[in-house]
Amino acid sequence: MRRVNAETQGAGPAAGSLPRRLAVPGAMLAAVVGAFAYVGAVDPNEPGHYPGCPLLRYTGVYCPGCGGLRSAHAVAHGDLATALGANAVAVLGYAVFAALWTVWVVRSVQGRPLRLDPGPYVMWSLGALLLVFTVVRNLPFGGWLHP
């Protein structure tokens, strides 16, 4: 039995050659770059290219995602000020994704798996941040957060 366990121990996700370990992070990067390239090429500021937000359409309330495509378009064109004006939380999300992806690649190169366990406090804090952002952007003094 000892021989079987020794042979199968290295068969986890961290095992294998470097290109194999980087395949999934590379595919994720390709998907994100493709999405940003598409949004960068097809301007969401022009009507008719993308569907509108149903919450905004039927209630007049801005959801936390409203302006996200315009924000991505501005990021794709290198205009960070416009991106922050369209949806500051989305820009924060892009930055967090970039940081997590970088950590993922570094850990994959090292042969160590990426384990994310944010815990309830982090998840509740993120939910509270989105709730506050949504409420403030829909109040009269939060007009600077409108997309």
Side-chain angles (χ1 to χ4, degrees):
M1 255 337 209
R2 178 172 270 200
R3 181 171 163 81
V4 172
N5 287 339
E7 289 175 355
T8 59
Q9 266 184 333
S17 66
L18 183 61
R20 185 177 179 136
R21 290 191 312 253
L22 292 176
V24 176
M28 177 66 74
L29 180 64
V32 170
V33 167
F36 268 83
Y38 181 80
V39 172
V42 181
D43 191 357
N45 294 304
E46 296 177 15
H49 293 292
Y50 300 97
C53 175
L55 184 67
L56 180 62
R57 181 176 181 178
Y58 295 117
T59 66
V61 173
Y62 292 105
C63 75
C66 281
L69 283 175
R70 281 174 253 154
S71 174
H73 179 77
V75 167
H77 289 275
D79 189 358
L80 188 60
T82 301
L84 286 168
N87 191 326
V89 170
V91 174
L92 179 65
Y94 308 148
V96 168
F97 172 80
L100 286 174
W101 184 84
T102 303
V103 169
W104 186 14
V105 168
V106 168
R107 290 184 67 92
S108 294
V109 167
Q110 295 170 346
R112 297 171 24 202
L114 177 64
R115 298 211 194 313
L116 294 178
D117 186 18
Y121 293 114
V122 172
M123 297 306 288
W124 280 102
S125 298
L126 288 174
L129 172 76
L130 286 176
L131 179 65
V132 168
F133 175 71
T134 303
V135 170
V136 169
R137 81 186 314 201
N138 285 291
L139 293 174
F141 64 85
W144 57 280
L145 292 173
H146 290 178

